[in-house]
Amino acid sequence: MSDAVPSLTPSTPTPSTPTPSTQPSRAYRGESPNDSEKDLIEIQIPPWEARINEAIETKRARLLYESRKRGMLENCIILSLFAKQYLHTLSEAQLHTYDRLINEPSNDWDIYYWATETKPTPKEYCSDVMELLKEYTKNRNMEQRLRQPDLEYLFESKD
């Protein structure tokens, strides 16, 4: 086994390597203020691409799945409940915006912090859908939101 350390490339810009503000980093390296970064391995994440010509019902089904299968339980709960309540009412343009919002950022914690307004939402993700998610996350009706919704509601008659 070799003791060689892999070449490291930080995902955060340094003064000598500017990153255009319109292109957020598509790599995840974690955040640790006291980390020496000697053991840092950057994981490249492919860029998000809009799915052109995807049928709207297919898009809704995919977004429902992606809202439920997140990298952290907090977002699984928030996004799956949000999807249950709003996904069927969003327009095609709003579905595209929601798709971008939940799939383009490389760190699920960012989505969580924006939705809970712990951190400001970057300009490129500010939208009516983000505002709807923020309002939903406030839970003004003080509903008990401890787990994802069961999927039986998908098969209920809409009569």
Side-chain angles (χ1 to χ4, degrees):
M1 187 164 147
S2 172
D3 291 333
V5 176
S7 173
L8 305 176
T9 307
S11 64
T12 54
T14 61
S16 62
T17 57
T19 302
S21 61
T22 58
Q23 289 294 333
S25 173
R26 290 293 303 161
Y28 178 73
R29 64 172 204 78
E31 295 177 21
S32 178
N34 300 323
D35 190 358
S36 67
E37 298 185 1
K38 290 180 181 176
D39 59 348
L40 177 67
I41 298 174
E42 186 174 283
I43 301 169
Q44 290 298 320
I45 300 172
W48 174 80
E49 293 181 13
R51 297 181 186 213
I52 308 300
N53 299 324
E54 182 177 35
I56 195 163
E57 287 310 313
T58 302
K59 182 181 292 270
R60 280 195 174 100
R62 178 177 57 79
L63 290 174
L64 174 65
Y65 175 83
E66 291 173 350
S67 296
R68 296 177 63 84
K69 304 297 181 186
R70 305 305 307 174
M72 51 185 274
L73 180 60
E74 294 85 347
N75 276 0
C76 290
I77 293 171
I78 291 171
L79 295 176
S80 66
L81 291 167
F82 176 83
K84 178 183 179 183
Q85 183 157 345
Y86 293 107
L87 213 56
H88 67 283
T89 64
L90 297 179
S91 70
E92 193 164 355
Q94 289 173 318
L95 288 171
H96 173 78
T97 301
Y98 183 67
D99 189 2
R100 180 174 179 245
L101 172 65
I102 69 170
N103 288 309
E104 188 174 50
S106 61
N107 187 344
D108 250 24
W109 280 107
D110 290 336
I111 300 167
Y112 178 79
Y113 291 141
W114 303 333
T116 59
E117 299 184 81
T118 304
K119 291 184 178 179
T121 306
K123 188 170 51 172
E124 61 267 21
Y125 297 110
C126 289
S127 66
D128 57 336
V129 174
M130 186 70 222
E131 291 306 313
L132 190 62
L133 178 59
K134 286 178 183 180
E135 186 59 33
Y136 181 78
T137 303
K138 290 176 184 172
N139 194 12
R140 294 191 192 274
N141 294 333
M142 297 178 25
E143 301 166 328
Q144 190 174 41
R145 297 178 179 171
L146 301 176
R147 63 186 188 93
Q148 296 183 24
D150 294 327
L151 294 176
E152 282 80 20
Y153 75 91
L154 294 171
F155 306 104
E156 293 173 356
S157 175
K158 297 186 178 162
D159 296 331

